[in-house]
Amino acid sequence: MRYAHEVGKVRAAEQALMARLPEGTLMQRAAAGLAAVCAGLLPRVYGADVVLLVGGGDNGGDALYAGARLARRGARVTAVAAGSKIHEEGLAALRGAGGRLADDAGIEGADLVIDGLTGIGGTGGLREPYATFARRASEADGIVVACDVPSGVDASSGRVEGTAVRADVTVTFGTHKPGLLIDPGAAYCGVVELVDIGLDLPDPDVVAAWPMDVRPPEPGPESDKYRRGVVGILAGGDEFTGAAVLSVGGAVRGGAGMVRFASVPHAVEVVRHRWPEVVTAVIEPRDGLDGVGRVQAWVVGPGLGTGADGEALVEAALSTDLPALVDADGLTILARRRDLLRREAPTVLTPHAGELSRLLGVEREIIEARRLEHVRRAAAELSAIVLLKGSTTLVAEEDRPVRVNPTGTPRLATAGTGDVLSGLIGALLAGGMQALDAAAAGAYLHGLAARLASAGEPSDTPISAFDVVTGLPDAFRSLTG
């Protein structure tokens, strides 16, 4: 896992470590790591043109000391101060190594630009002249390296208000920061390199999986369809049969031992035609779930409708003692029936920002601007695992680190992909995964399947939701090598 800590925890860990070390040691550790990464990015250090964009804080000092190390190896290093303050000891080290301070420099033509304008404490939009320097750095021809976090990106949330540096590489110190993993900030970071500076940190606030961290259930020698997990899906209607087909497809290709699908006659007919391996049942919503058969997890909501029949099915699924996932129309129903969430069994909710807006009574734009804050709030208020879909999908459970999905792609912004995700997570729940792990693994595999499906020539080929279904076997296969 990649572990990320919010700014307050990082500051406290830094202060505790600095109290035990000789003055300046921590900055030298950071500068050494920064310089090493920069040197590795250049074809050769000797003779390279390096520009340092320097603010008045510690990140400016890190950049100056790193610049001094590069200057001692023969680079032509020029520092540009963005304000009246500058780290005097760092500047002295740079000058002692042969570097210089200038009012301006050839940012656009430099071989490498180090962004040391602001640090992890920066919030809100960049003011002048910082904004101009950030814009010029982003347009530079050479390699742009951000120091700890790209200037203009909120380190704790990933918010970007106005101009920010678009880095090719971000060298971060001690731990990742949430804003490096969460869009829009993550899109400004490029490749993130972590430099260990010896911080003693508490539990993380945010985590992001590596491929080896995603472990869906694997069938063993003794497996049968029941041991692998039976998922029940309540979806679709006379009008929205596509949602039923796609959610069932996500479950079939998501490793379920058996999928039981129940709905109105037309939806059942369409699903049976497309997925002959699925066990289907025609039910009358107000008669409950007796005709469906035994399942180990429920998926309810895609294409269900938001009227009385849909409400009856959501209530029936949530009245069981089984794990349940609620999506789409089911979430609209829960916005007026939050009492249905008072249950002991795990509940997974998979809203986009508009659906979460209805659940929390908060404007969609506010949720979009503060996604991390609101997914945590939703998990606490709704007593559920909440998967907030978007450019960066976030998965939250109260009192646990928020899971950030690293495999998302804009190609998933097409109708029906959320239905696929609901069936996939339902299959993982039925297979015995803990609800938080199932939601996070489902998001990872879903994003990976979309990336694999769109990886044609030209790259990033447009895809449909059904392409994601067909890409799931390759996504699973990639996890096992």
Side-chain angles (χ1 to χ4, degrees):
M1 289 284 188
R2 280 169 286 178
Y3 299 104
H5 295 78
E6 292 177 355
V7 170
K9 292 181 180 179
V10 176
R11 291 290 195 216
E14 289 175 341
Q15 292 297 323
L17 183 56
M18 285 190 290
R20 303 195 304 270
L21 295 174
E23 185 175 355
T25 301
L26 205 59
M27 185 171 287
Q28 290 297 338
R29 289 179 181 177
L34 176 60
V37 172
C38 290
L41 294 170
L42 291 165
R44 57 192 299 236
V45 177
Y46 188 87
D49 285 314
V50 177
V51 174
L52 317 176
L53 301 179
V54 180
D58 287 346
N59 270 31
D62 296 334
L64 289 164
Y65 279 118
R69 289 172 178 266
L70 296 172
R72 285 196 292 271
R73 295 179 58 178
R76 293 188 293 268
V77 183
T78 303
V80 179
S84 58
K85 292 176 59 179
I86 195 166
H87 193 282
E88 294 294 343
E89 293 84 356
L91 178 59
L94 177 66
R95 283 174 164 160
R100 67 189 185 97
L101 178 67
D103 292 334
D104 203 342
I107 299 171
E108 290 75 12
D111 297 306
L112 187 139
V113 178
I114 297 180
D115 162 32
L117 292 169
T118 64
I120 60 175
T123 57
L126 293 176
R127 294 185 286 273
E128 293 296 348
Y130 288 81
T132 294
F133 281 125
R135 185 165 51 253
R136 291 178 64 189
S138 301
E139 296 169 354
D141 293 332
I143 302 165
V144 180
V145 178
C147 181
D148 217 5
V149 62
S151 296
V153 172
D154 187 296
S156 282
S157 69
R159 293 183 68 189
V160 175
E161 299 179 15
T163 303
V165 171
R166 285 195 177 273
D168 299 299
V169 177
T170 297
V171 181
T172 198
F173 309 125
T175 181
H176 290 82
K177 286 74 186 177
L180 305 181
L181 303 175
I182 300 171
D183 280 334
Y188 287 77
C189 296
V191 176
V192 178
E193 297 282 355
L194 176 64
V195 172
D196 184 3
I197 56 174
L199 298 183
D200 184 12
L201 290 155
D203 290 340
D205 299 290
V206 168
V207 298
W210 295 112
M212 68 283 295
D213 299 315
V214 181
R215 286 291 172 261
E218 283 283 340
E222 301 301 318
S223 292
D224 58 31
K225 59 190 175 186
Y226 298 105
R227 289 188 178 96
R228 291 190 65 186
V230 182
V231 58
I233 297 181
L234 308 171
D238 288 321
E239 187 174 358
F240 298 112
T241 56
V245 169
L246 291 167
S247 57
V248 168
V252 170
R253 295 283 171 82
M258 180 190 293
V259 180
R260 294 186 184 274
F261 174 75
S263 188
V264 298
H266 182 46
V268 166
E269 180 184 355
V270 172
V271 166
R272 185 186 295 131
H273 178 74
R274 181 59 192 83
W275 299 108
E277 60 268 72
V278 172
V279 178
T280 61
V282 174
I283 59 171
E284 172 56 50
R286 303 198 186 201
D287 291 343
L289 306 175
D290 291 342
V292 180
R294 178 175 171 269
V295 305
Q296 288 147 289
W298 289 105
V299 172
V300 58
L304 201 63
T306 59
D309 285 350
E311 183 173 325
L313 288 175
V314 173
E315 183 170 6
L318 295 184
S319 296
T320 69
D321 59 359
L322 297 172
L325 179 145
V326 185
D327 185 33
D329 288 341
L331 297 170
T332 300
I333 291 165
L334 287 181
R336 65 175 186 259
R337 290 290 312 276
R338 280 178 50 167
D339 60 291
L340 297 178
L341 291 168
R342 293 196 290 269
R343 62 195 304 264
E344 294 298 322
T347 309
V348 178
L349 309 179
T350 56
H352 54 59
E355 291 161 337
L356 191 61
S357 171
R358 293 192 287 274
L359 284 163
L360 295 182
V362 176
E363 293 289 335
R364 177 178 185 146
E365 293 75 16
I366 296 174
I367 290 173
E368 292 279 21
R370 299 179 178 274
R371 292 169 53 79
L372 184 58
E373 172 187 329
H374 285 93
V375 75
R376 284 176 172 149
R377 174 182 163 185
E381 280 192 20
L382 304 175
S383 299
I385 288 86
V386 179
L387 184 153
L388 177 56
K389 293 180 281 198
S391 57
T392 304
T393 292
L394 304 177
V395 187
E397 182 178 15
E398 189 173 13
D399 298 326
R400 300 283 298 276
V402 173
R403 307 280 185 98
V404 175
N405 181 51
T407 65
T409 166
R411 296 297 179 189
L412 282 168
T414 187
T417 56
D419 303 320
V420 179
L421 177 63
S422 65
L424 169 58
I425 296 174
L428 299 175
L429 287 170
M433 290 189 81
Q434 295 295 310
L436 178 64
D437 294 333
Y444 190 100
L445 289 160
H446 184 250
L448 188 55
R451 288 190 176 196
L452 292 170
S454 66
E457 291 293 341
S459 61
D460 290 335
T461 303
I463 59 173
S464 70
F466 204 82
D467 292 324
V468 180
V469 175
T470 57
L472 282 173
D474 285 338
F476 277 86
R477 194 175 299 115
S478 72
L479 295 180
T480 57

